[in-house]
Amino acid sequence: MSWWVLHVDMDQFIAAVEIRRRPELRGLPVVVGGSGDPAKPRQVVATASYEAREFGVHSGMPVRAAYKKCPEAVFLPSDPAAYEAASTEVMDTLRAFPVVVEVWGWDECFVGAETTDPEALAASLRAAVLERTGLTCSIGIGDNKTRAKLATTFAKQPRSHATPFEGAADAPGVYRLTAENWREVMDHRPVRELWGIGSRMERNLNELGLQTVAELAAADVDALKQRFGPKMGAWYAALGRGLGDTEVTDVPREPVSRSREETFERDLVEPAEVADELRRIAVEVTRDVVAEGRSIQRVWVKVRFTSFYTPIKSRKLKAITQDPDVIASTALDLLEKFELRRPVRLLGVRVEFAVDPSAPA
């Protein structure tokens, strides 16, 4: 038997949970987010059903914009408790198999297993989840996490233009991506399709003449390290070749930071008002951290303007602290680096926890 990594990704999870408890919504465009009232400002779409996505509605867009694109959609308020409960149902179903389950969020996890037939295992997992929860999922199979995660995108495409593995027709909702077919499937694709490559990093790589996955795989590692730093440069080079971690663990991931952000009902125009709100948020997040017995070593500040331009700036503290005034002062110092020429719709503060020197390496 061989060790396989499977990536399980729930299909339109939040919308599916809502449809499960309201079966009459099946087949209709459903949009979930905020209070569910598209007339109210400052609300964001959490998810949209596949039917709503056909109208151009997607997660992260303002609910009002979603309404303009699809006024006939059913708009529902977010219910995090229901999604948490449904996620627990799914993960417990997977844990009933002889596998290791590493949870990455409400709607996704990695599954590690020793098996001679990963497609059969994936089909069994999908069937069990559907039977016990009424929810569907897609599963990517890989020889590491990078390839398994990417394979899921092809598993979600019934008419994927990726070359299918042998026997794929017998395993709907499942796709295998390994070292064996990596180049055939991925070489011609733009770097943007790789896990962890956003639009900004795509532009940076394009500036180096790296347009495709094949070009990134063949890139000079030293040049990548010089541009992006020794750690990230090496990581991008490995990503182009589909290399990645093979370990799957059921030990919960330890949080490394805490954040608070707030979208305001009305835009903040005066700099003094922006500063007051930022100080308040910084103090609140610091108190959250101190209540957990943590200390802080770095501070980030996020500012979203009415244009949705959202710059982020950070600073490492000279000394580890639990003092809210120090965090607030640092946040305000960072705020001075922003050009507050436009109204502000959102402010956020994230703090990175200090590493416990007594913890094992």
Side-chain angles (χ1 to χ4, degrees):
M1 291 197 296
S2 301
W3 177 256
W4 291 93
V5 179
L6 284 65
H7 179 252
V8 179
D9 194 354
M10 303 305 297
D11 300 326
Q12 56 172 11
F13 176 66
I14 292 176
V17 173
E18 295 292 352
I19 293 169
R20 182 176 69 167
R21 58 183 177 179
R22 298 177 178 87
E24 68 275 11
L25 299 180
R26 191 172 304 279
L28 299 177
V30 176
V31 179
V32 183
S35 68
D37 182 356
K40 290 187 175 181
R42 313 300 192 186
Q43 299 186 103
V44 175
V45 174
T47 197
S49 67
Y50 292 134
E51 293 80 4
R53 294 177 195 180
E54 292 179 0
F55 290 86
V57 179
H58 57 81
S59 60
M61 75 174 354
V63 173
R64 278 185 170 178
Y67 180 77
K68 291 180 180 179
K69 287 182 176 291
C70 187
E72 62 268 40
V74 178
F75 288 82
L76 300 173
S78 294
D79 186 354
Y83 314 141
E84 180 73 37
S87 177
T88 299
E89 290 181 61
V90 171
M91 302 307 168
D92 286 347
T93 297
L94 299 175
R95 293 187 183 103
F97 288 77
V99 300
V100 180
V101 178
E102 182 175 324
V103 179
W104 276 53
W106 280 341
D107 62 347
E108 69 171 323
C109 67
F110 284 100
V111 171
E114 291 277 357
T115 179
T116 57
D117 192 344
E119 282 76 40
L121 172 61
S124 296
L125 294 176
R126 293 185 75 240
V129 168
L130 178 60
E131 178 184 359
R132 299 177 192 177
T133 72
L135 303 171
T136 62
C137 63
S138 299
I139 298 181
I141 299 170
D143 44 11
N144 59 43
K145 286 180 176 177
T146 297
R147 293 182 177 132
K149 172 79 172 180
L150 287 170
T152 313
T153 63
F154 301 124
K156 287 181 175 289
Q157 302 171 16
R159 293 178 296 279
S160 172
H161 53 285
T163 304
F165 58 83
E166 185 177 354
D170 299 324
V174 176
Y175 192 85
R176 184 199 294 190
L177 183 60
T178 66
E180 183 177 352
N181 64 340
W182 172 262
R183 295 202 62 180
E184 180 183 6
V185 174
M186 297 300 301
D187 266 6
H188 63 286
R189 299 179 185 277
V191 291
R192 181 72 171 82
E193 293 194 23
L194 290 170
W195 181 22
I197 302 292
S199 57
R200 180 178 179 182
M201 183 50 61
E202 179 185 32
R203 289 193 298 271
N204 288 334
L205 292 171
N206 290 169
E207 288 174 2
L208 295 178
L210 307 176
Q211 306 283 337
T212 67
V213 173
E215 289 169 341
L216 178 58
D220 183 273
V221 179
D222 289 335
L224 291 174
K225 289 181 177 179
Q226 183 176 0
R227 176 69 178 267
F228 305 113
K231 181 178 179 180
M232 295 307 298
W235 186 77
Y236 289 126
L239 191 60
R241 299 193 294 274
L243 305 181
D245 186 15
T246 61
E247 181 183 9
V248 180
T249 176
D250 55 6
V251 177
R253 290 183 294 168
E254 188 73 15
V256 297
S257 65
R258 181 79 62 217
S259 64
R260 273 182 180 252
E261 59 182 47
E262 185 172 332
T263 300
F264 302 99
E265 291 189 2
R266 63 174 182 80
D267 299 331
L268 306 181
V269 178
E270 297 299 327
E273 187 178 24
V274 174
D276 287 344
E277 294 292 351
L278 185 66
R279 168 177 280 278
R280 175 181 60 80
I281 294 171
V283 169
E284 288 175 354
V285 73
T286 305
R287 288 172 177 166
D288 291 342
V289 171
V290 173
E292 298 175 9
R294 302 272 195 168
S295 297
I296 298 167
Q297 65 179 3
R298 181 179 284 274
V299 179
W300 281 262
V301 169
K302 175 197 291 188
V303 178
R304 176 167 296 155
F305 297 97
T306 49
S307 63
F308 278 84
Y309 172 56
T310 311
I312 300 173
K313 300 185 184 298
S314 72
R315 174 178 297 175
K316 185 174 182 179
L317 301 176
K318 294 180 180 179
I320 293 170
T321 186
Q322 293 184 323
D323 189 339
D325 288 335
V326 172
I327 303 305
S329 296
T330 303
L332 292 175
D333 287 345
L334 288 169
L335 182 63
E336 294 181 0
K337 298 180 177 294
F338 294 84
E339 294 185 6
L340 301 179
R341 297 178 179 177
R342 289 165 288 183
V344 172
R345 64 176 284 129
L346 175 147
L347 289 172
V349 175
R350 181 163 70 93
V351 295
E352 179 183 311
F353 301 150
V355 177
D356 183 355
S358 65

